[in-house]
Amino acid sequence: MYDTIIIGAGMAGMTAAIYASRKRMKYEILAKEFGGQFMISGEILNYPGIVETTGTELSKTMQKQMQVNNIKVKEEYVKQIKKQDNHFIVIGENQQYETKTVIIATGSRPRKLNVPGEKEFTNKGVTYCSICDGPLFSGMDVAVIGGGDSAMEAVDFLKDIASKIYLIVKADKLKGHEYLIENIKSNDKVKIIYNAQTTEIIGSKLVNGLKYKKQGKEKSINVQGVIIEIGRNPSTDFVKGFLKLDKHGHIQIDCQTQTSVPGIYAAGDCASGHEYQYVISAGQGAMALIKAARYLASLKK
Amino acid sequence: MAKVKVFSTPTCPWCTKAKDYFKEKKIEFEAKNVAEDLEARKEMVEKSGQMGVPVIMIDDEVIVGFNKSKIDQLLKLD
């Protein structure tokens, strides 16, 4: 019987694992692979104690920290969690784990546009990871879809790579960090199209354009790359019906990271109150583990 | 021995992971930076039909993304 099973190896899950390891708890950290959103992040400029870093750099440091604390991520895809008496069974694709507590830190995945051509041209000009595939668009015209921080960060990353960038925004303004908005508005390479609903991604073998609707009229632009940054969906399907979720599918937690089932905690982007900030995910991961440890102590009484 | 090529961009974390994996398993590979090497980009797009990295070629087999189990299977690792 494990003290805790941590599901997910991004910022929240890794922080929980560091604490679990230092508390000498009997635990496993299960994930399809090490690394969450932070791995594919460009610049990170708002983590206290770190002036400036990148996702790749942070991920390397984290791997070193894993070695120091003897943390090994077990490759496992979790399908379900069940309650049995006063403990839980975590059902993975390879194995089952009996545990007294569970920490869920499964994060989120990019939201899809759900328009014709999107699926067909994924990795053929359509991408959800600007820092991965962005450099492939050097000298090309691209469209970034979205109006928030992630979309603006993608534009910022592409500004020295692409020759022209269209930013397709559904709303009538940009929403996010002021410095990003200023940066983007003052760049000649960037054309912002507001009140535009993307309707189709077109191409033959690879993407060559995009159609959108603005004020009832359909328009099109020629682009070789389409970067989709319209938000994220939490990866919580495996606990649907077992834990209480909010209307967007995030696991409902209280201010102590406890879910609707005592003994189960959730942290990071999969949980309600998420703000897609590394420091929040790390903080919640630590809190979830400490609260789980307190819960364990209360079981022994 | 199988000929391994990794098409990647310098900023792509999954590409770094793929390359680290080959190093760990002591498998020689040719790294192609498709952000700068336009010939390599052309080769990648033509052979794989892909505009997303990493693309890994093991002899004539094309693997899209860091698909560890496919790599293990083709190189008979593990």
Side-chain angles (χ1 to χ4, degrees):
Chain A
M1 175 84 67
Y2 287 99
D3 290 329
T4 197
I5 292 289
I6 301 164
I7 308 170
M11 187 59 91
M14 288 305 303
T15 309
I18 292 167
Y19 276 74
S21 160
R22 300 182 67 82
K23 279 180 177 293
R24 308 277 184 270
M25 285 165 77
K26 190 169 180 242
Y27 79 98
E28 291 283 358
I29 174 165
L30 312 177
K32 270 165 89 177
E33 53 230 333
F34 159 74
Q37 258 327 99
F38 69 86
M39 249 190 74
I40 58 164
S41 185
E43 287 176 315
I44 298 170
L45 302 167
N46 53 8
Y47 201 97
I50 297 172
V51 179
E52 192 178 345
T53 188
T54 63
T56 313
E57 215 174 287
L58 187 62
S59 145
K60 288 220 163 107
T61 314
M62 198 87 110
Q63 266 162 319
K64 216 179 282 167
Q65 200 169 18
M66 284 166 67
Q67 282 172 1
V68 170
N69 289 291
N70 197 26
I71 298 167
K72 291 190 182 78
V73 176
K74 199 160 177 181
E75 209 179 303
E76 179 82 270
Y77 178 72
V78 174
K79 294 188 296 186
Q80 205 193 340
I81 305 173
K82 278 200 308 209
K83 191 170 163 69
Q84 192 169 72
D85 305 323
N86 62 349
H87 66 273
F88 303 99
I89 300 173
V90 174
I91 303 165
E93 233 164 26
N94 306 315
Q95 204 186 315
Q96 296 198 358
Y97 307 81
E98 283 192 43
T99 179
K100 291 173 195 159
T101 65
V102 182
I103 291 166
I104 302 172
T106 43
S108 60
R109 53 186 190 281
R111 190 173 290 155
K112 304 280 193 301
L113 265 176
N114 291 321
V115 298
E118 181 181 19
K119 205 171 158 197
E120 192 187 339
F121 292 114
T122 293
N123 287 333
K124 297 180 190 327
V126 172
T127 180
Y128 302 88
C129 180
S130 54
I131 74 154
C132 306
D133 300 328
L136 288 169
F137 303 124
S138 67
M140 299 181 190
D141 292 351
V142 301
V144 174
I145 301 172
D149 282 330
S150 307
M152 289 191 282
E153 276 162 20
V155 172
D156 195 54
F157 179 78
L158 287 158
K159 69 179 194 292
D160 300 321
I161 298 170
S163 55
K164 187 171 182 67
I165 306 167
Y166 296 93
L167 180 57
I168 314 284
V169 188
K170 213 166 94 177
D172 58 0
K173 59 172 183 289
L174 293 169
K175 236 165 75 183
H177 291 307
E178 288 304 325
Y179 76 93
L180 272 172
I181 297 178
E182 280 162 27
N183 256 352
I184 280 162
K185 284 189 172 167
S186 63
N187 193 319
D188 296 339
K189 262 193 190 178
V190 183
K191 185 175 179 207
I192 309 175
I193 306 173
Y194 294 103
N195 302 307
Q197 179 85 42
T198 306
T199 51
E200 190 181 351
I201 294 161
I202 47 181
S204 52
K205 276 184 182 162
L206 300 169
V207 167
N208 61 30
L210 173 148
K211 287 184 184 168
Y212 64 92
K213 221 174 204 170
K214 187 178 162 103
Q215 286 146 356
K217 279 187 207 144
E218 186 152 77
K219 302 191 175 192
S220 67
I221 45 174
N222 293 328
V223 289
Q224 287 83 56
V226 177
I227 295 97
I228 301 173
E229 291 285 1
I230 52 167
R232 310 188 58 80
N233 285 329
S235 306
T236 55
D237 288 348
F238 71 109
V239 291
K240 226 175 236 172
F242 179 57
L243 299 178
K244 199 172 161 199
L245 305 181
D246 72 10
K247 64 176 177 188
H248 297 294
H250 301 96
I251 299 168
Q252 194 78 55
I253 55 170
D254 65 14
C255 61
Q256 310 207 358
T257 68
Q258 190 187 283
T259 67
S260 55
V261 174
I264 302 188
Y265 302 82
D269 295 345
C270 69
S272 62
H274 65 91
E275 285 290 352
Y276 303 127
Q277 298 299 311
Y278 304 117
V279 65
I280 294 179
S281 295
Q284 286 187 345
M287 187 189 278
L289 194 282
I290 293 168
K291 295 298 176 190
R294 286 198 192 283
Y295 174 86
L296 286 170
S298 77
L299 288 181
K300 282 179 193 140
K301 271 181 200 160
Chain B
M1 214 159 105
K3 199 167 174 231
V4 181
K5 279 188 203 172
V6 181
F7 296 81
S8 63
T9 62
T11 46
C12 152
W14 294 109
C15 305
T16 310
K17 268 189 95 154
K19 287 188 270 189
D20 285 348
Y21 185 66
F22 287 126
K23 282 179 203 156
E24 184 197 317
K25 297 285 176 185
K26 299 199 167 49
I27 289 174
E28 273 183 43
F29 63 91
E30 196 183 340
K32 302 264 195 184
N33 176 3
V34 291
E36 279 162 12
D37 185 344
L38 296 184
E39 279 299 312
R41 189 194 300 175
K42 216 172 131 202
E43 184 189 351
M44 180 184 95
V45 175
E46 273 170 11
K47 287 195 181 156
S48 71
Q50 295 287 315
M51 273 289 277
V53 285
V55 166
I56 297 163
M57 290 183 198
I58 298 178
D59 289 331
D60 294 329
E61 291 273 350
V62 175
I63 304 172
V64 177
F66 176 46
N67 183 341
K68 198 161 145 261
S69 49
K70 188 84 192 280
I71 293 170
D72 288 349
Q73 185 201 327
L74 287 172
L75 292 173
K76 300 187 178 64
L77 297 170
D78 265 348

